[in-house]
Amino acid sequence: NDANPAEAGELGSSNFRFGLSLFKTLNKKEEPGTNILISPLSVQTALHMTTNAAAGDSRQDFLTGLYLDDWSLAKLNQSQQRWRKTIIGNAGHPTISSTNGFFKDPERLKANPDFTSRLQEFYKAKLMDLNFDQAKKAKERINSWVKEQTQDKIDKIVENIRAEDVGFLINALYYK
């Protein structure tokens, strides 16, 4: 699984284009002089994982939106996996932690085993079944996981769990 420099360059270029596009879109919606703090890496990672749940035209729409028009799902997952190992796994870098989680109510959502397998294999995602009918307890569990993963920097990512919510696909990024 050695990194392919051309592929890494393609992924880096698409990540940059996506991040810039995301910032421009969000900036248009804010009042002048308002600060914006976003993590394109977290958004991209969550969308890369979500792409694994899509099929057909929907999957292609995700790839197009991520500036990866002609990529296959296998290429996306393998490139993301190698990228994570390179960026997060290299010594000498600042502390970077990127953790993924898929929290779902098994009574409301039956996840495809191929999807959850890819989340674990390529994204090292934690899978957790929670009873969303006990919304407060489920919300606290998700938020405590995020807080732990971000060294207590983010203590709340889920505001509430509504009756129509079936799951949360989360990327928690910590950088020091």
Side-chain angles (χ1 to χ4, degrees):
N1 278 351
D2 291 332
N4 175 332
E7 194 174 278
E10 281 182 79
L11 184 60
S13 175
S14 71
N15 286 350
F16 177 78
R17 291 172 62 202
F18 175 83
L20 189 57
S21 175
L22 177 63
F23 178 77
K24 285 179 179 179
T25 299
L26 293 174
N27 194 40
K28 286 179 186 175
K29 296 180 180 187
E30 295 296 327
E31 294 293 323
T34 302
N35 291 326
I36 298 174
L37 176 63
I38 60 171
S39 170
L41 173 60
S42 287
V43 175
Q44 288 162 319
T45 301
L47 289 174
H48 289 171
M49 290 188 292
T50 305
T51 302
N52 281 273
D57 289 343
S58 294
R59 181 179 293 163
Q60 189 56 50
D61 289 344
F62 273 103
L63 291 169
T64 298
L66 290 162
Y67 298 93
L68 298 167
D69 296 296
D70 59 347
W71 281 39
S72 68
L73 187 60
K75 183 176 178 180
L76 170 67
N77 289 335
Q78 291 164 358
S79 296
Q80 174 74 9
Q81 181 182 45
R82 284 191 288 267
W83 181 88
R84 286 176 53 83
K85 284 180 182 177
T86 300
I87 297 297
I88 295 168
N90 278 345
H93 282 269
T95 301
I96 300 174
S97 167
S98 176
T99 309
N100 301 302
F102 179 43
F103 305 90
K104 68 175 181 62
D105 184 328
E107 296 301 316
R108 298 179 189 190
L109 177 65
K110 305 294 184 217
N112 181 308
D114 289 336
F115 169 66
T116 56
S117 176
R118 286 191 300 268
L119 288 181
Q120 288 181 301
E121 179 181 355
F122 297 107
Y123 299 88
K124 303 297 181 220
K126 173 163 184 67
L127 307 179
M128 188 180 300
D129 286 340
L130 299 170
N131 181 348
F132 284 14
D133 286 333
Q134 296 178 4
K136 184 177 185 222
K137 187 175 179 181
K139 176 185 79 168
E140 287 171 357
R141 181 64 191 106
I142 295 168
N143 286 333
S144 87
W145 176 82
V146 169
K147 185 176 180 179
E148 180 182 319
Q149 300 306 310
T150 61
Q151 310 293 313
D152 298 335
K153 298 296 181 195
I154 300 173
D155 59 3
K156 180 170 45 175
I157 198 163
V158 175
E159 294 285 334
N160 57 47
I161 296 178
R162 301 170 305 210
E164 62 270 15
D165 291 334
V166 297
F168 295 91
L169 193 55
I170 296 173
N171 171 267
L173 181 66
Y174 172 76
Y175 176 79
K176 180 178 178 181

